[in-house]
Amino acid sequence: MRKSFVLALLLCLYLLVILPHGAHAQQPVVYGVLFYSQSCSHCHYVITEVLPPLEEEFGEQLEILYVDVSQPEGGGWFRAAFDAADIPDDRRGYVPTMVIGTTALIGGRDIPEQMPGLIEEGLAAGGIDLPPIPGLREAYEATVATQQASNAGEDPPESAPISTTYQKTTWRDRLAQDSLGNSFALGVLVILMIGLAGQVSHGTRLFDEVGKRDWNTGHAGRIFILGVATLTTFIAGTLAFEGGSITLPTVLAAGVTAGMIPVVWTLGRVEFRAGATYRVPGWLVPWVAVLGLAVAGYLAYVEIGGNEAVCGAVGDCNTVQQSEYAKLFGLIPIGALGVFGYTLILGTWLIGCCRNDGMADAANTLLLGLTLFGTVFSIYLTFLEPFVIGATCAWCLTSAMMMILILSLHGPDGWTAVNRLADRLARRPYRSNQPDW
């Protein structure tokens, strides 16, 4: 009797514990891969508002992998997912992107609207495996093994390109993701701020009846401009090296680099041979603007067409171009805005060059305003790269350096034109000599 009771008890335990556990282990699972960026507000919404209710509803039958596209390996998987999920060309490169099997849901609208139904269909069909992205499964298995080791008492890595949980990073983490490229961005940021501060300092002399009449660039200013031109040439030169291959973008970068060499040569002659009274040739401003237009044109081509950028030897341009900051207000590509800005600079310079009346002063004043605004906007974009996006675009740095170079070259003529207009408005004669460069 006692033996029968023990057997019955074991049978009940088997039915209540072991069988459900075995059935649970064989439950279908749907795997989803979310490609996100730390700087993307739509990604944050999906991660914090959309996915938690789904994970609670489906439990262990839903396994979500988080891939940070700002990290090199994560960005590589993201680009590989374009083909694996057959994403149309006009929708590639946008985050957040949720890939389930061979289906891609893109943006903060498609994911919450379509993902629940896709999960239910997948579970009804027996589950959906990981997307066929090369290297993803091996990384997932390594991540699971790492988590198991961490649970056993070992320290997990500080960051990983793939995770089964969302890992929020700090600005220090983003800064360290590309130490070399972000160091370049920090250096450019400092140069932009110094150049802008110098121009604003001269601008404040408009309120000084004595000081505003006596401005020349001086030795330190000329050394600064020569340094800006030299560094611009170097940054543009890094774009010409892309794994030793020769492509149209690398040829464009080489052309921009070659175009900057006469600028450096001319500025060097001004500083070291001609002396302080030598005026910079007027062709430098439009020449640099044309080079900037070429750089902005390539960025517009990448952003509008969703094309993969050639990043050169420094930085990760594609991560920058895939971030939400690649478009102003989510609509206007920054590259297209740059094309428009450089075109305006060329047009206003042409008017100021060809006229010798009040229209010339108005054009030179407008040109000064355009370059001041362009420099401030470049400071904003350059700040975002190391501290918010965690990646640096050498094309963007080249354009930013060209903008501060144009501002520095045009500054004396621009502020002189402002002074003339102020005197006209006050109906007093203009009493200033043309400033030496």
Side-chain angles (χ1 to χ4, degrees):
M1 183 70 178
R2 180 178 298 177
K3 185 176 180 181
S4 300
F5 176 77
V6 173
L7 290 175
L9 181 61
L10 292 176
L11 179 61
C12 290
L13 289 174
Y14 177 79
L15 293 175
L16 292 175
V17 179
I18 299 177
L19 278 182
H21 179 75
H24 176 75
Q26 298 176 358
Q27 284 183 335
V29 177
V30 170
Y31 290 89
V33 181
L34 179 69
F35 295 95
Y36 72 97
S37 171
Q38 295 283 350
S39 60
C40 169
S41 58
H42 296 290
C43 300
H44 181 73
Y45 164 72
V46 169
I47 291 170
T48 59
E49 302 293 334
V50 176
L51 296 184
L54 293 176
E55 291 176 316
E56 182 178 354
E57 177 183 355
F58 293 101
E60 295 183 1
Q61 290 186 283
L62 175 62
E63 183 74 23
I64 298 177
L65 280 63
Y66 297 83
V67 178
D68 186 352
V69 300
S70 65
Q71 299 194 34
E73 194 169 4
W77 288 327
F78 187 38
R79 291 185 286 274
F82 298 161
D83 297 325
D86 196 22
I87 301 176
D89 291 341
D90 60 343
R91 304 199 70 189
R92 296 188 175 198
Y94 295 97
V95 289
T97 293
M98 173 68 73
V99 179
I100 300 178
T102 57
T103 302
L105 308 178
I106 303 173
R109 176 178 298 179
D110 288 355
I111 294 176
E113 289 182 355
Q114 302 179 31
M115 188 172 173
L118 194 59
I119 295 172
E120 292 175 353
E121 292 177 3
L123 293 176
I128 300 177
D129 201 359
L130 288 170
I133 300 175
L136 183 65
R137 177 172 296 280
E138 292 78 4
Y140 169 67
E141 294 174 352
T143 298
V144 172
T146 300
Q147 291 176 342
Q148 293 174 347
S150 176
N151 294 334
E154 300 179 10
D155 293 332
E158 294 183 1
S159 62
I162 186 172
S163 174
T164 55
T165 58
Y166 173 58
Q167 297 179 339
K168 186 174 179 61
T169 61
T170 65
W171 66 268
R172 293 184 179 86
D173 297 327
R174 292 188 286 273
L175 190 63
Q177 286 175 5
D178 182 7
S179 56
L180 178 60
N182 290 336
S183 296
F184 269 80
L186 291 177
V188 170
L189 184 62
V190 171
I191 291 173
L192 293 175
M193 296 178 68
I194 291 175
L196 180 64
Q199 293 297 321
V200 171
S201 174
H202 289 304
T204 57
R205 297 184 185 184
L206 289 173
F207 303 97
D208 184 350
E209 288 300 319
V210 177
K212 78 175 185 177
R213 308 290 176 178
D214 187 25
W215 171 33
N216 60 71
T217 302
H219 175 71
R222 296 193 300 274
I223 288 293
F224 172 79
I225 297 174
L226 177 60
V228 169
T230 303
L231 184 58
T232 304
T233 306
F234 176 76
I235 296 175
T238 65
L239 292 165
F241 297 95
E242 179 73 11
S245 60
I246 299 177
T247 61
L248 184 60
T250 60
V251 172
L252 174 63
V256 171
T257 304
M260 282 299 301
I261 293 176
V263 178
V264 176
W265 173 260
T266 302
L267 293 173
R269 287 186 68 250
V270 171
E271 174 57 28
F272 297 110
R273 293 182 60 184
T277 59
Y278 180 77
R279 290 192 54 77
V280 172
W283 60 266
L284 284 182
V285 168
W287 183 265
V288 177
V290 168
L291 296 178
L293 183 61
V295 173
Y298 176 69
L299 289 175
Y301 163 77
V302 170
E303 294 163 358
I304 295 175
N307 301 289
E308 187 172 346
V310 170
C311 299
V314 178
D316 183 5
C317 300
N318 288 296
T319 297
V320 177
Q321 300 309 318
Q322 291 161 7
S323 72
E324 63 175 325
Y325 300 102
K327 291 187 176 181
L328 186 63
F329 308 123
L331 299 172
I332 306 174
I334 297 299
L337 188 63
V339 170
F340 179 70
Y342 282 114
T343 302
L344 279 181
I345 288 174
L346 286 169
T348 53
W349 175 86
L350 185 62
I351 296 174
C353 178
C354 296
R355 303 288 292 265
N356 57 3
D357 53 6
M359 182 63 72
D361 288 336
N364 285 324
T365 300
L366 178 58
L367 178 54
L368 178 66
L370 288 172
T371 51
L372 282 171
F373 173 80
T375 300
V376 172
F377 194 59
S378 296
I379 290 175
Y380 165 72
L381 295 177
T382 305
F383 171 83
L384 291 176
E385 292 184 26
F387 293 110
V388 179
I389 302 175
T392 295
C393 172
W395 291 98
C396 305
L397 296 185
T398 302
S399 178
M401 292 292 286
M402 289 179 173
M403 188 60 68
I404 190 62
L405 180 58
I406 295 174
L407 173 61
S408 301
L409 291 171
H410 178 69
D413 291 335
W415 291 116
T416 299
V418 172
N419 287 336
R420 287 199 187 101
L421 288 178
D423 287 339
R424 282 196 185 92
L425 291 175
R427 294 184 177 179
R428 60 174 177 254
Y430 184 71
R431 298 174 286 105
S432 176
N433 295 325
Q434 186 76 0
D436 293 329
W437 190 78

